[in-house]
Amino acid sequence: MAATLFRKVWDLHSVRTLPNGQTQLYIGLHLVHEVTSPQAFADLRARGWRVRAPERTFATVDHIVPTLAQRRPFLDLVAEEMTAALERNCREHRIPLFGLDSGSQGIVHVIGPELGLTQPGMTIACGDSHTSTHGAFGALAFGIGTSQVRDVLASQCVAMSPLRVRRVDVRGRLAPGVYAKDVILTIIGRLGVKGGAGFAYEYGGEVVDRMSMDERMTLCNMSIEGGARAGYVNPDATTIDSLRGRPYAPSRDEFDEAARWWRTMASDPGAPYDDVVTIDGTAIAPTVTWGINPGQSVPVDGRVPDPMAATGAERDGVAEALAFMSFDPDQPIAGTRIDVAFIGSCTNARLSDLREAARIVSGHRVARHVRALVVPGSQAVCTAAEREGLDEIFRQAGFEWRAAGCSMCLAMNSDRLDGREICASSSNRNFKGRQGSPTGRTLLMSPAMVAAAAVAGEVVDVRAWLPAAPAGVERRL
Ligand code: SF4
């Protein structure tokens, strides 16, 4: 019988149905970081338990590490303590740790795919909401809480309820200056931040088929912002090519056999979906959030809403967001003055993101009143970018070039907004207080849009900033 990837991977990893109706699901890969693991390891120790499958568990430091002065001990005592605790726990349980001196450290959702740990057909868990990123490879990847981190450490299993599957078909082709970030903001804007509750999103259609793995990761990363528990793309030739030669991918002898199996995990033609949504990719414009959740967005040439045009509870939500952001009803989003430009996070700090942003800023200067920083998603991204001279392009334009980490995505280190600052950000959440100041304001957009805003000092349409591509060369990230 035709089945979706979700159904195939779920069934393959299902251990048993629990008395409460949930499934005990085996986890093929557990990714661990310094912030959500200390309590889980402490619980394990208190019960005298060991890590069940250290060979399926990998750790890194990303959330709280400084991106400026990385000499140990860190000046921030909490960061030092959390990092030291993870090092102790990894040593005690023989878990590989990609620390600051490894050359492979970085945001957990950047390094997993980079190292080839993330593979099609897997179940993946991590104590971070944006674990859905790994679904780009045709895996079922779930963000879990600290008590579930303990469960997975102890049993390599997690208790979960099965999900329904919504196919999200993005048809047509994207125009130049329109990126995966614009696609996912458009999807969330249309389906709502709670629209995916109880669903896994399967992304497909011509736009997704043509996307690079970096773009697919951006798409899947923000599934959780649309309320979906997971998001994935069926594995195809792009997926398989991207895995070849990665350190933890199957070796050359075993690769072709693994690739054949990965392809069988893709949803079958005629597979049943619980819902199907079609999005016209040709109609998507560069998109910017105006509010306090990622569903509150408009095309860059659009206007923020007027609460009087909304109904019921929605009216209050719009009014609250506009008041927090200090927008007038029906105000154009373009021209909004920014104070900070942040290119980083597990959504948009991969090499192709930095390349595209550098293409925009090359030869320009960041506006005088803007503080701009680039934080690569991993040490490998940082090294590759430096090899290409991207760091110099950013520095010459007036950006700060930082070391890898989560940084201003959630501001657990000293990278944070001050007071009412407005930040053009390539990250994934615009919640109140997310970037470190309770009153700070976040405008989510693509890294190319952030780059253009940094130079212009205000929100602008990146389509007017694109350098002309050489004749016959198609844009492909
Ligand atoms: S970059 Fe932001 S969303 Fe991604 S793992 Fe770090 S804190 Fe979480």
Side-chain angles (χ1 to χ4, degrees), residues 29 42 50 53 74 124 129 163 165 172 223 225 262 317 355 380 396 405:
L29 173 67
R50 300 289 304 166
F74 299 140
I124 299 175
S129 313
L163 301 169
V165 182
S223 305
E225 302 307 331
W262 291 339
R355 279 184 188 146
Q396 279 173 16

Side-chain angles (χ1 to χ4, degrees), residues 325-338:
M325 297 298 289
S326 303
F327 280 130
D328 293 328
D330 209 29
Q331 176 184 327
I333 192 80
T336 304
R337 185 180 157 100
I338 66 157

Side-chain angles (χ1 to χ4, degrees), residues 85-121:
L86 184 63
E87 289 166 341
R88 274 195 309 276
N89 289 325
C90 287
R91 260 197 315 274
E92 182 183 333
H93 293 280
R94 299 177 187 282
I95 294 168
L97 167 64
F98 300 106
L100 290 179
D101 55 358
S102 67
S104 301
Q105 173 266 343
I107 306 175
V108 66
H109 312 311
V110 177
I111 69 159
E114 221 167 55
L115 291 165
L117 291 165
T118 302
Q119 295 172 17

Side-chain angles (χ1 to χ4, degrees), residues 63 107 109 128 130 345-346 406 409-410 428 434:
H63 280 64
I107 306 175
H109 312 311
D128 182 273
H130 296 86
S345 89
C346 58
C406 295
C409 172
L410 88 169
N428 46 48
R434 172 73 175 181

Side-chain angles (χ1 to χ4, degrees), residues 288-371:
V288 183
T289 60
W290 54 266
I292 50 177
N293 71 55
Q296 295 176 320
S297 68
V298 279
V300 66
D301 49 6
R303 292 168 176 272
V304 308
D306 182 343
M308 297 315 288
T311 51
E314 201 192 330
R315 179 178 297 175
D316 295 343
V318 171
E320 182 199 353
L322 290 182
F324 182 81
M325 297 298 289
S326 303
F327 280 130
D328 293 328
D330 209 29
Q331 176 184 327
I333 192 80
T336 304
R337 185 180 157 100
I338 66 157
D339 306 293
V340 178
F342 171 60
I343 298 175
S345 89
C346 58
T347 312
N348 276 129
R350 297 183 176 80
L351 186 60
S352 59
D353 297 315
L354 305 194
R355 279 184 188 146
E356 196 64 6
R359 208 161 72 92
I360 304 295
V361 303
S362 181
H364 294 287
R365 287 285 304 170
V366 168
R368 238 180 242 270
H369 66 275
V370 173
R371 176 162 60 104

